Amino acid sequence: MLFAKGSAQTSPLITCEPEAGVTNIKGDNPLIWPLFSLLQNSNHSWKVHLLATELQAKGLMQDLDEDQDKALFKRNFLLMNALFQLQDILLPEHWLQVKAMEIQIFNIIPSNLESSLREDDALREYYLNWVNYDTCPNIIREMLESFWSRYEDYIGTNPNLMHKDQALKVFDLNTDATNREVRRRWRKLALQWHPDRPDGNTAQFRKVCEAWQTLRENL
């Protein structure tokens, strides 16, 4: 299973209101960056289930529920959530088309960008709302932490070695930086140094990921 310590199935005594604390979930969906790699390195469109298969092959995603129907729903939710977040990160330089059967990054922004965004407003709103994941906030947090651990192992980071002051220095931020400034800086630097970008740098990307793991704890 994906979870670091246990899943919703192995913690039957956990109870909570579905919406309690969901808006306080920290950080971005860690699937954003491996999805970016897959899309950036291909010149064809993808289907959601094929993206999932690739992530599973890399050891970054496994079954999320003992019930296979629920596992399929949760997998698709996480992927669509990450894709819509990535779409926002890439604008205005690139356009990420997010259709379940046709997902692709384009270097040319559509002339009808506003209408293209409005077309998916309902889906975007649904998949960016963690309430719709159908589980408790503490389980979502545990799941995301496990995802980050897997991704850190995959790219070779070691976040335990970085302190907050070091992390702020990597982000070129002051100690009074707001949560919004931290998140905005993280996304900008991660995209800038991502190794699949033309001017990317693997070592810098790892360092940025380490800094983010430190700073996100205080968001």
Side-chain angles (χ1 to χ4, degrees):
M1 292 296 290
L2 175 70
F3 307 108
K5 297 180 181 178
S7 68
Q9 289 71 44
T10 58
S11 303
L13 298 181
I14 294 178
T15 59
C16 68
E17 294 297 326
E19 297 189 17
V22 171
T23 57
N24 294 323
I25 291 173
K26 301 175 182 178
D28 292 320
N29 184 331
L31 289 181
I32 290 172
W33 304 110
L35 282 172
F36 177 71
S37 293
L38 291 175
L39 296 169
Q40 184 76 5
N41 289 324
S42 62
N43 56 5
H44 61 83
S45 63
W46 288 77
K47 296 177 174 61
V48 169
H49 71 277
L50 293 179
L51 288 172
T53 298
E54 288 292 325
L55 293 178
Q56 288 170 336
K58 295 177 182 297
L60 296 173
M61 174 178 274
Q62 297 184 13
D63 287 343
L64 300 170
D65 201 292
E66 292 178 355
D67 184 310
Q68 289 305 301
D69 288 335
K70 289 183 178 180
L72 177 62
F73 170 82
K74 291 179 177 181
R75 183 196 72 186
N76 288 347
F77 184 95
L78 289 173
L79 287 170
M80 294 298 286
N81 174 282
L83 287 167
F84 278 121
Q85 289 196 56
L86 181 58
Q87 183 186 69
D88 181 62
I89 292 170
L90 292 177
L91 285 172
E93 294 181 5
H94 305 284
W95 168 244
L96 172 55
Q97 177 176 273
V98 183
K99 307 289 184 183
M101 305 300 286
E102 195 173 356
I103 300 165
Q104 188 172 3
I105 294 176
F106 295 95
N107 292 326
I108 299 176
I109 303 297
S111 57
N112 58 338
L113 177 60
E114 290 188 8
S115 61
S116 296
L117 289 170
R118 283 198 302 270
E119 183 180 330
D120 295 327
D121 273 350
L123 278 177
R124 185 181 299 102
E125 181 179 355
Y126 179 86
Y127 283 113
L128 291 179
N129 187 345
W130 282 108
V131 171
N132 298 318
Y133 184 77
D134 187 34
T135 193
C136 298
N138 55 331
I139 298 299
I140 297 174
R141 293 189 187 96
E142 185 178 349
M143 174 191 65
L144 294 180
E145 289 296 336
S146 179
F147 257 132
W148 273 115
S149 295
R150 286 176 179 273
Y151 192 54
E152 286 166 356
D153 290 341
Y154 181 72
I155 64 176
T157 64
N158 191 350
N160 295 324
L161 297 180
M162 187 169 291
H163 300 290
K164 183 178 179 181
D165 289 344
Q166 293 175 291
L168 287 169
K169 186 175 181 180
V170 171
F171 277 24
D172 195 23
L173 292 173
N174 297 322
T175 55
D176 59 352
T178 65
N179 293 345
R180 184 177 181 181
E181 289 172 331
V182 170
R183 183 187 299 276
R184 182 180 299 171
R185 189 66 176 160
W186 145 246
R187 288 185 163 195
K188 180 180 179 180
L189 291 175
L191 186 60
Q192 175 184 343
W193 296 117
H194 195 283
D196 291 317
R197 298 272 287 185
D199 298 322
N201 183 291
T202 300
Q204 280 296 115
F205 181 71
R206 287 173 180 162
K207 185 180 293 185
V208 168
C209 286
E210 291 172 8
W212 169 243
Q213 281 294 73
T214 297
L215 294 176
R216 66 192 285 268
E217 295 300 320
N218 299 300
L219 293 180

